[in-house]
Amino acid sequence: MFEKLDGVVLRYEDISRELTSPDIASDQKRFRALMKEQSDLAPVVDAYQEYRLSRKAEEDSLEMLQSEKDEDMRELAREELASAREKTADLQQKLQILLLPKDPNDDKNVIVEIRAGAGGDEAALFAAEIYRMYVHYAEKRGWKPELIDFEEIGIGGMKSVSFMIKGQGAYSRMKYESGVHRVQRVPSTESAGRIHTSTVTVAVIPEVDEDIDIQIPDKDVRIDVMRASGNGGQCVNTTDSAVRLTHYPTGIVIYSQTEKSQLQNKNKAWALLRSKLYDLEVSKRHDEEADLRRSQIGTGDRSEKIRTYNFPQGRVTDHRIKLTIYRLGEILGGDLDEIIDPLQAADQAAKLLKLDSAG
């Protein structure tokens, strides 16, 4: 591990020197790449520097304990030694986590698709609540949610909704939300007070960078333009601004209608199609590496039931890590870090365990 850390420090120093070179300003692509790499390496370099200082404090305390005759000073050295050892152990674990192979998609924006599953109108109502939960969560983290497409029902529910979340690290957090979300509650239309169970499915897809080469031949896609439907305002509903893309080889249909401009809707639709095709390719590779998929919390099969929202008991249970929180209202209000933080920690622990067993 320490050889790798020394290599990281050397690389960080090389980048810092290159960024001060007068020639770098003329190559903006190279400049941005170096700035991103430096930003990625900085937490590792800082933690390693802190670790070395802690190790030095540990050695100094041990030396003092061995040479000092005064009992009061020896007691002080023992306390400092214990504190330094605890800090060193914590930093070593932090460094192990920082050195784990990073998901290349973690820093990307995401496209989220929510679809009502079993449960009819109640499932559509729950889908709308899940959508609002993610919008609140995005806003709390300073991200920007942008609606792509939706299909409403008359009572305030949504059969489906697609939207993008733009923000640094959006995928690193939102990737844990893919799967089946289940709700247990008494519907307002239920006169006998019986608890119903409904489901929605959530798919989280990283946005594909423009520099990733995804070939989509023109003959493979049909483009239709039409008037937008739903609550879009007079301008939206009276112009042919909505765009539908049909990808023949996969059967994927993309519909974008939330922008007033046809060009903007077309750009959103193409971005979503590119991301879906990329996600299909990644999923295919993961399926071929079944062990990898099983070891990754949050990136498994989208048919997997991941979470239950129980209204009568006011609890949310995440089944992957057996976590139960009795703060249902706050979770639906966007306080998702209470669930995502433990999921991320469990994911990191699983990866560390896999590395240890491999080593």
Side-chain angles (χ1 to χ4, degrees):
M1 181 177 82
F2 296 105
E3 285 180 14
K4 188 181 288 187
L5 285 166
D6 289 335
V8 168
V9 172
L10 288 173
R11 177 59 186 155
Y12 186 84
E13 291 170 350
D14 287 343
I15 293 170
S16 299
R17 278 192 294 271
E18 190 171 348
L19 284 170
T20 61
S21 166
D23 299 332
I24 195 68
S26 61
D27 188 349
Q28 283 299 300
K29 186 175 180 181
R30 174 70 175 161
F31 177 75
R32 286 193 297 270
L34 287 172
M35 287 294 291
K36 184 181 185 308
E37 188 179 357
Q38 185 187 55
S39 175
D40 290 342
L41 294 180
V44 183
V45 173
D46 291 344
Y48 189 32
Q49 177 65 16
E50 197 176 351
Y51 172 84
R52 288 193 288 200
L53 290 172
S54 184
R55 282 285 297 153
K56 181 68 168 59
E58 196 177 324
E59 291 165 4
D60 290 346
S61 298
L62 187 58
E63 185 180 331
M64 180 179 173
L65 185 60
Q66 291 170 344
S67 61
E68 187 60 59
K69 304 298 183 192
D70 183 85
E71 191 54 40
D72 288 342
M73 294 299 292
R74 286 174 59 81
E75 182 59 30
L76 179 62
R78 289 190 195 96
E79 291 175 4
E80 290 179 350
L81 178 61
S83 176
R85 280 177 171 167
E86 183 179 357
K87 185 176 182 181
T88 299
D90 289 343
L91 285 166
Q92 186 166 337
Q93 184 177 29
K94 181 179 180 180
L95 284 166
Q96 285 179 313
I97 291 171
L98 286 170
L99 286 176
L100 284 172
K102 189 177 179 183
D103 187 330
N105 294 319
D106 273 353
D107 290 333
K108 292 181 180 177
N109 302 328
V110 296
I111 294 163
V112 185
E113 294 183 324
I114 303 170
R115 295 188 180 279
D121 287 352
E122 179 63 18
L125 288 168
F126 184 51
E129 289 182 71
I130 293 295
Y131 166 64
R132 289 191 292 271
M133 176 180 77
Y134 291 141
V135 169
H136 292 319
Y137 180 60
E139 290 169 344
K140 286 182 180 185
R141 293 195 69 90
W143 299 334
K144 184 183 177 184
E146 291 184 1
L147 193 60
I148 297 173
D149 180 35
F150 59 93
E151 184 181 356
E152 295 179 305
I153 64 171
I155 56 174
M158 289 176 160
K159 286 186 179 179
S160 64
V161 55
S162 302
F163 59 102
M164 181 178 285
I165 295 178
K166 294 184 175 181
Q168 183 71 23
Y171 186 74
S172 71
R173 309 290 293 177
M174 288 296 297
K175 65 184 176 183
Y176 299 103
E177 295 304 298
S178 281
V180 176
H181 296 240
R182 181 175 69 172
V183 62
Q184 295 174 327
R185 64 182 172 190
V186 179
S188 56
T189 55
E190 173 56 68
S191 57
R194 290 174 298 185
I195 295 174
H196 286 225
T197 297
S198 305
T199 63
V200 305
T201 58
V202 176
V204 179
I205 304 168
E207 184 185 24
V208 178
D209 295 332
E210 286 295 328
D211 56 357
I212 292 179
D213 186 25
I214 298 176
Q215 298 294 327
I216 310 177
D218 291 342
K219 64 180 178 62
D220 286 353
V221 180
R222 189 179 79 200
I223 304 174
D224 297 304
V225 294
M226 62 206 73
R227 292 184 181 181
S229 59
N231 300 322
Q234 185 176 0
C235 179
V236 172
N237 290 322
T238 57
T239 61
D240 291 335
S241 59
V243 175
R244 183 176 63 212
L245 303 181
T246 304
H247 187 248
Y248 293 123
T250 60
I252 292 172
V253 177
I254 308 293
Y255 186 69
S256 179
Q257 65 164 346
T258 56
E259 303 294 336
K260 292 182 180 180
S261 156
Q262 184 187 119
L263 179 61
Q264 289 175 312
N265 280 323
K266 187 177 288 186
N267 288 339
K268 276 190 174 183
W270 275 107
L272 180 51
L273 179 59
R274 281 169 48 82
S275 294
K276 280 200 167 191
L277 292 176
Y278 178 72
D279 185 60
L280 275 177
E281 182 59 34
V282 170
S283 296
K284 192 188 300 179
R285 288 203 302 269
H286 278 194
D287 288 342
E288 291 166 359
E289 303 165 12
D291 184 54
L292 172 64
R293 181 169 282 276
R294 279 195 297 270
S295 72
Q296 290 179 323
I297 292 173
T299 55
D301 192 330
R302 285 172 192 153
S303 64
E304 174 191 4
K305 182 186 72 182
I306 64 166
R307 196 174 298 152
T308 295
Y309 305 74
N310 184 289
F311 277 71
Q313 297 178 19
R315 64 172 167 84
V316 179
T317 299
D318 195 285
H319 304 291
R320 293 164 292 181
I321 54 173
K322 298 178 174 56
L323 171 71
T324 296
I325 299 173
Y326 287 88
R327 298 182 69 245
L328 175 62
E330 289 83 353
I331 297 297
L332 289 174
D335 288 351
L336 273 173
D337 283 337
E338 286 191 58
I339 298 177
I340 292 176
D341 284 342
L343 281 166
Q344 199 168 55
D347 193 17
Q348 291 167 346
K351 288 174 181 172
L352 283 172
L353 187 62
K354 189 174 178 63
L355 278 180
D356 290 342
S357 62

